[in-house]
Amino acid sequence: MKVLIVHAHPEPQSFTASMQRHAVETLQAQGHEVIVSDLYAMNWNPVVSAADFGTRKNSDYLVYALEQRENVAAGTIAPDIRAELDKLLECDLVIFSFPLFWCSVPAIIKGWIDRVLVSGKVYGGQRFYDRGGMRGKRAMLAYTCGGRDFMFDAEGVHGEMDLMLRHVLRGTLGYAGFEVLPSFVAYHVPYIKPAEREAMLGRYGDYLTKLDQLEPLSFPSLDDFDAEMHPRVRTPQMTEQD
Ligand SMILES: Cc1cc2nc3c(=O)[nH]c(=O)nc-3n(C[C@H](O)[C@H](O)[C@H](O)COP(=O)(O)OP(=O)(O)OC[C@H]3O[C@@H](n4cnc5c(N)ncnc54)[C@H](O)[C@@H]3O)c2cc1C
């Protein structure tokens, strides 16, 4: 398969960067094709603006999503967005590799999402969740954090990590139509011993060799909603006793 790793850490010697390199080695050893978008190294511009568009449908008032649709179709979207969009459209799996910042992705990744997950190709016209443009592709998060694992249990002080990241897992990746795999999380990274971090790298490598065995996260099917997105009223099934 073709794998795109969208990586964001400002320090190339960081543990997160070690994880990203380990992912490349592991996936390539399995025969997969891997492309890395190293956002800090690329000096990726995360800020949406009118400069993203070579032409304008409406030059008086910027409707960003409308101009995304028009400019992708016309071939006039900014070259940096086009290059990332091409990588995205060609891949089977996207891995987002990053340190957890404020229980979210770093701003530079958020800006990749804002600019690359374009209206028209990725979503729009009631194409989301199981009708989203990324249907047939998989996505997962692989991230490091300072907190300890038990802090992010259901009973933990912060509550479940997946609920913290629901806006990304469901609101972005699930919405876009990706099959979202469970995240790989490296906890307490700056505070543990080097040998423990090395063991973590080993666990990450094992994880990447077993992606097909992972149960994807569950999101709604639009079949269960009407044209206005109200839940469909289910008629009880008749049984033989009825
Ligand atoms: C703005 C901001 C917000 C944050 N918000 C949160 C939050 O909400 N929740 C939370 O839990 N944390 C939070 N953090 C903490 C952050 O998530 C962690 O500090 C980060 O994930 C640690 O990963 P790193 O790659 O930066 O580690 P680094 O500090 O780069 O690495 C740790 C150590 O690993 C070493 N190392 C590198 N490669 C290897 C290797 N191959 N084998 C062994 N050791 C290696 C490095 O030399 C270093 O000594 C936040 C941090 C910032 C700056």
Side-chain angles (χ1 to χ4, degrees), residues 223-226 228-234:
D223 292 346
D224 295 331
F225 296 81
D226 66 20
E228 293 181 335
M229 293 300 143
H230 296 297
R232 285 188 196 282
V233 179
R234 293 184 180 281

Side-chain angles (χ1 to χ4, degrees), residues 9 13-16 18 99-103 144-147 190 197 201:
H9 198 294
Q13 300 177 80
S14 65
F15 184 71
T16 311
S18 291
L100 192 70
F101 279 2
W102 293 109
C103 275
T144 55
C145 68
R197 284 193 289 268
L201 283 182

